[in-house]
Amino acid sequence: GAGVSQSPRYKVAKRGQDVALRCDPISGHVSLFWYQQALGQGPEFLTYFQNEAQLDKSGLPSDRFFAERPEGSVSTLKIQRTQQEDSAVYLCASSFLTGDYEQYFGPGTRLTVT
Amino acid sequence: GIQVEQSPPDLILQEGANSTLRCNFSDSVNNLQWFHQNPWGQLINLFYIPSGTKQNGRLSATTVATERYSLLYISSSQTTDSGVYFCAVVDDMRFGAGTRLTVKP
């Protein structure tokens, strides 16, 4: 596709449920990023992939958060045993590895945990 | 890690006015971007500007890396410019808190 796509766009989960959020990066983009954006704040870095390798996961808030990109393209962010503080917009971005590092963002997934 | 500060936090303008948004960063950077987050939450790339000056229509940006700041200029503002403007230090994957711009007709 022409841009980064994410699905679902909205997700409501009951506390304790597991959720999986999908990101399709721009074709040919090697780098993929996940961010979490709480209401009224700037995006906060969660994790970064280069192809299938997860090079940085320092931003993941707890071991309930897990991300994968097994074939170096589509990525999934999984949150286990969701809690109310997980409610946020989850943003995915992709970029080329070399040259300029401009990041392109998807529309986000708004997660509400009730 | 690097600190990114944006000012002002909020800005209200009448349509047609000009404005300057500022982004300060605490250490040297190699890659900096400006984004506009529209009311639907989409982050739209405005400029990738590690240094120098770029212009795109009514918008322009300048980064002075040696002095650790970047400026975003909006001229002849329109109501569609409303939203939140973020600068991001791409090297560190770190965003500022944003400037919320409201342009009134």
Side-chain angles (χ1 to χ4, degrees):
Chain A
V4 179
S5 61
Q6 293 185 245
S7 60
R9 293 293 314 279
Y10 303 91
K11 177 69 178 177
V12 179
K14 291 186 177 179
R15 189 163 54 96
Q17 284 184 332
D18 297 349
V19 298
L21 312 180
R22 177 187 169 106
C23 172
D24 283 82
I26 293 172
S27 178
H29 277 193
V30 171
S31 300
L32 186 145
F33 308 82
W34 284 98
Y35 294 83
Q36 180 190 59
Q37 187 175 21
L39 190 63
Q41 299 183 19
E44 297 278 345
F45 169 76
L46 293 177
T47 187
Y48 159 57
F49 289 86
Q50 183 178 313
N51 293 307
E52 68 277 6
Q54 189 174 21
L55 297 187
D56 187 342
K57 54 181 181 179
S58 61
L60 296 176
S62 78
D63 58 7
R64 296 185 297 104
F65 286 71
F66 172 75
E68 60 184 5
R69 194 186 184 198
E71 297 179 0
S73 179
V74 170
S75 177
T76 304
L77 176 67
K78 298 179 179 178
I79 309 173
Q80 297 176 325
R81 304 181 304 281
T82 53
Q83 301 178 6
Q84 283 193 320
E85 58 263 32
D86 300 334
S87 296
V89 175
Y90 290 86
L91 295 163
C92 175
S94 69
S95 73
F96 286 113
L97 175 62
T98 57
D100 73 50
Y101 298 89
E102 187 169 1
Q103 293 190 19
Y104 297 85
F105 279 80
T109 294
R110 181 177 297 279
L111 173 65
T112 303
V113 181
T114 61
Chain B
I2 196 166
Q3 303 299 311
V4 182
E5 295 183 353
Q6 292 187 242
S7 60
D10 294 281
L11 186 58
I12 299 174
L13 301 174
Q14 285 298 130
E15 201 168 25
N18 302 329
S19 62
T20 301
L21 283 59
R22 187 176 181 101
C23 174
N24 292 335
F25 34 93
S26 60
D27 205 343
S28 58
V29 301
N30 294 313
N31 301 286
L32 186 134
Q33 276 187 259
W34 282 96
F35 296 91
H36 175 215
Q37 189 163 44
N38 65 22
W40 296 271
Q42 176 73 54
L43 278 165
I44 299 165
N45 291 28
L46 297 178
F47 295 101
Y48 175 80
I49 185 164
S51 63
T53 297
K54 291 186 177 180
Q55 179 155 9
N56 184 4
R58 297 181 295 104
L59 273 60
S60 64
T62 296
T63 296
V64 184
T66 53
E67 297 187 22
R68 302 180 183 173
Y69 72 88
S70 184
L71 302 174
L72 178 69
Y73 305 95
I74 304 174
S75 64
S76 305
S77 57
Q78 301 176 358
T79 56
T80 52
D81 295 332
S82 295
V84 183
Y85 290 79
F86 289 104
C87 70
V89 173
V90 178
D91 319 44
D92 243 31
M93 284 88 70
R94 190 172 295 273
F95 280 69
T99 292
R100 180 173 298 277
L101 174 65
T102 303
V103 180
K104 295 188 171 183

